[in-house]
């Protein structure tokens, strides 16, 4: 069974940084375009960053200049470096294949608050 396990979330003050990790089973990370998604309370899940198998990246406008997505195919891991965090970044963050989602993992909670 394919699994995606997110980690690295936590409580951080506005302006702080976090690095999220997503470890995939098998070769899922190296074989597919991947994405980081987030779901804030009362809102729909949204894609915030994507990375193709070729390394091309996509960032939603609200995180451009602050977030960076990267991947380590050898480690089957996708990362999301989040800098200059804002309270509106508070959400549960998930990773998944970008174009055809698998079953969602538990996600990792990111809370930005003073």
């Amino acid at each position: 069974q394919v699994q995606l396990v997110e980690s690295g979330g936590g409580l951080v003050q506005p302006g702080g940084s976090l690095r999220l990790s997503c470890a995939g089973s098998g070769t899922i990370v190296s074989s597919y375009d991947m994405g980081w998604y987030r779901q804030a309370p009362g809102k729909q899940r949204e894609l915030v960053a994507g990375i193709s198998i070729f390394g091309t990246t996509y960032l939603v406008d609200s995180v451009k200049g602050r977030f960076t997505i990267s991947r380590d195919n050898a480690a089957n891991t996708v990362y999301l470096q989040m800098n200059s965090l804002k309270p509106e970044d508070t959400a549960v963050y998930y990773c998944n294949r970008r174009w055809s989602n698998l079953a969602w993992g538990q996600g990792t909670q990111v809370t930005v608050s003073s």
Side-chain angles (χ1 to χ4, degrees):
Q1 183 178 357
V2 177
Q3 285 189 314
L4 295 162
V5 180
E6 303 91 348
S7 63
L11 172 63
V12 63
Q13 292 186 340
S17 298
L18 286 172
R19 188 194 195 202
L20 307 184
S21 299
C22 169
S25 59
T27 60
I28 182 175
V29 169
S30 59
S31 300
Y32 293 92
D33 293 359
M34 298 295 294
W36 278 100
Y37 300 76
R38 68 186 179 188
Q39 187 167 23
K43 295 188 177 181
Q44 289 190 335
R45 187 177 285 140
E46 64 169 344
L47 175 72
V48 295
I51 186 165
S52 76
I53 59 173
F54 305 110
T56 305
T57 61
Y58 162 82
L59 294 170
V60 70
D61 285 348
S62 60
V63 307
K64 283 181 180 177
R66 301 188 298 121
F67 289 12
T68 304
I69 185 171
S70 61
R71 67 196 300 159
D72 182 340
N73 288 338
N76 271 304
T77 302
V78 182
Y79 302 98
L80 186 67
Q81 178 66 45
M82 305 187 297
N83 299 326
S84 302
L85 282 161
K86 303 176 180 180
E88 52 263 43
D89 295 318
T90 295
V92 179
Y93 284 71
Y94 304 86
C95 71
N96 210 319
R97 293 192 316 200
R98 182 170 176 185
W99 303 111
S100 55
N101 297 152
L102 299 168
W104 294 94
Q106 297 287 334
T108 186
Q109 175 71 47
V110 172
T111 303
V112 185
S113 175
S114 55

